Amino acid sequence: MPLAAVGVVLLVLGGAAVAAGVLAWEDVGTLADRIVPILAFVAAITVVTELFNAAGLFEWIAARFRRWGRGRAWLLWALVTVLSLAATVFLSLDTTAVLLTPIVVVLARSCGLPPLPFALTAVWLANTGSLLLPVSNLTNLLALHSLGNVSPAEFAARMALPALWCALVPVLAVAMLFRKDLRARYDPLRTSRTPAEGDGARADRVLLGTSAVVLAFLLPGLVSGVAPWIPSVAAAAVLVLAFAARRPRALRWALVPWQLVVFAAGLFLLMEALQHLGGGDLAAALLGSGSGPLDLVRVAAVGAAGSNLVNNLPAYLAFEQAAGGPARLAALLVGVNAGPLVTPWASLATLIWHEQLRRLGVSISWWGYAAAGAVLVPLMVVPAAFLAAVP
């Protein structure tokens, strides 16, 4: 359990900072008021997406896409692109990395198509497509506090243009890099079956139908302005009850992302302590000041560089207070959300994605991945930072 072990170490270090008087208990209480709802959302939405997957909902959608692709690889890829973007925007980038990656890889293979363009679409959109809504990325949820707890509609209005650009660039890149593969044809009636067409996905139509209904209510709930943890916890409760009645063996403690919760809690506590030890002064020096277009590019570039050097979550936490106003904070989100495409550790979603590919026997060159990311990141981050200045 490496992630949980790191989280425990971070909690111990944070606890030592509290014991040494670096952090007052009042500061810890304020931090808890901010992060507990966020961690509740992370835990609940992970349970929801895992149970959606257990019910066969994502595989069912993928199987429909195979038929709707009409034997054309480019149309099947376009449908996968839409599904990846929708899953990222409404259910978070980790949903795309954890659940959709194996689905799209197996789907491509069952159609006799190379899986790499589908896999790259999933991971690139998991990162770059996570700018539009608060629930799309943990960094966005953290930013709500500094943005004055704006509604999802207000957040989306601020981030719409950067989000659109950062989603468009990787899609065009895949279309250009794999244009020959995407011209291929496949047989939509081929007898080999995807997981969605296997017996496991057909075993319980009640659970599949319940999942579809829950999803239909969950999506508007996440953008209604209600705290995201409320509809997520409600959806998780309904699904847990349904599975308890129909398939209790599917319910296990592993559904809850304890490792991620412990890691995030420890990271939040330690980063808060570092802010009190002068980390804020260094962050302010790196980010500079001002809200002009070049100032915003600087903020986004520093956020992207920090994400690829360490990880996007600690990079955001380190620079959040120094970012300041809404435009600068939006630019920072551009950097830490769309920027982590170069190093494999830049985002947790990328590491999860690679582990899924390894299990499926899909090889990828990290040098090639880094080279492509080094080209894409400036193409996304610089224009998107300019767009962040639009109120």
Side-chain angles (χ1 to χ4, degrees), residues 314-327:
Y316 174 82
L317 292 171
F319 297 124
E320 180 189 46
Q321 293 184 19

Side-chain angles (χ1 to χ4, degrees), residues 80-90 96 100 125 128-130 167:
V80 166
T81 299
V82 171
L83 179 60
S84 299
L85 187 58
T88 300
V89 169
F90 290 103
T96 305
L100 290 193
L125 286 180
T128 68
S130 64

Side-chain angles (χ1 to χ4, degrees), residues 287 289-300 382 385-386:
L287 293 186
S289 59
S291 297
L294 292 180
D295 298 314
L296 297 184
V297 170
R298 177 178 178 177
V299 172
V382 174
F386 279 100

